Amino acid sequence: MILEVTAKDGTCIQIPDYEKILYSTGMSERECTNDLSKFSISDGYTYNIKSKDGYLSINGSEITRVQLFND
């Protein structure tokens, strides 16, 4: 699966071999895998996107859209 993250500056980041998104405000951590229907972006969260090769960490205030594609 490929996760595509669009930033507020228009940059589009494609993450191949997506596994899950871990997000937290620092107090508690939540996990999102393949069901993005209940997933929402919040300015107060830090999102750690895990792929087979590593992690991408991005603040919610920098994200406008997250999409998941089958490869």
Side-chain angles (χ1 to χ4, degrees), residues 22-30 44-48:
L22 301 169
Y23 54 106
S24 71
T25 58
M27 298 293 288
S28 64
E29 188 170 74
R30 298 180 184 171
Y45 285 94
T46 298
Y47 296 87
N48 295 302

Side-chain angles (χ1 to χ4, degrees), residues 44-63:
Y45 285 94
T46 298
Y47 296 87
N48 295 302
I49 302 167
K50 183 173 181 347
S51 71
K52 185 173 75 173
D53 296 325
Y55 277 92
L56 169 69
S57 184
I58 188 167
N59 192 296
S61 63
E62 300 173 29
I63 302 171

Side-chain angles (χ1 to χ4, degrees), residues 2-71:
I2 298 172
L3 186 76
E4 185 175 277
V5 178
T6 305
K8 290 191 176 175
D9 67 358
T11 303
C12 183
I13 304 165
Q14 290 190 341
I15 301 161
D17 301 320
Y18 159 79
E19 293 178 1
K20 62 185 170 183
I21 300 174
L22 301 169
Y23 54 106
S24 71
T25 58
M27 298 293 288
S28 64
E29 188 170 74
R30 298 180 184 171
E31 181 177 313
C32 178
T33 53
N34 296 338
D35 184 12
L36 295 181
S37 65
K38 297 178 184 177
F39 179 76
S40 63
I41 300 166
S42 175
D43 287 357
Y45 285 94
T46 298
Y47 296 87
N48 295 302
I49 302 167
K50 183 173 181 347
S51 71
K52 185 173 75 173
D53 296 325
Y55 277 92
L56 169 69
S57 184
I58 188 167
N59 192 296
S61 63
E62 300 173 29
I63 302 171
T64 58
R65 184 174 63 181
V66 175
Q67 291 182 287
L68 189 59
F69 299 98
N70 288 322
D71 53 350

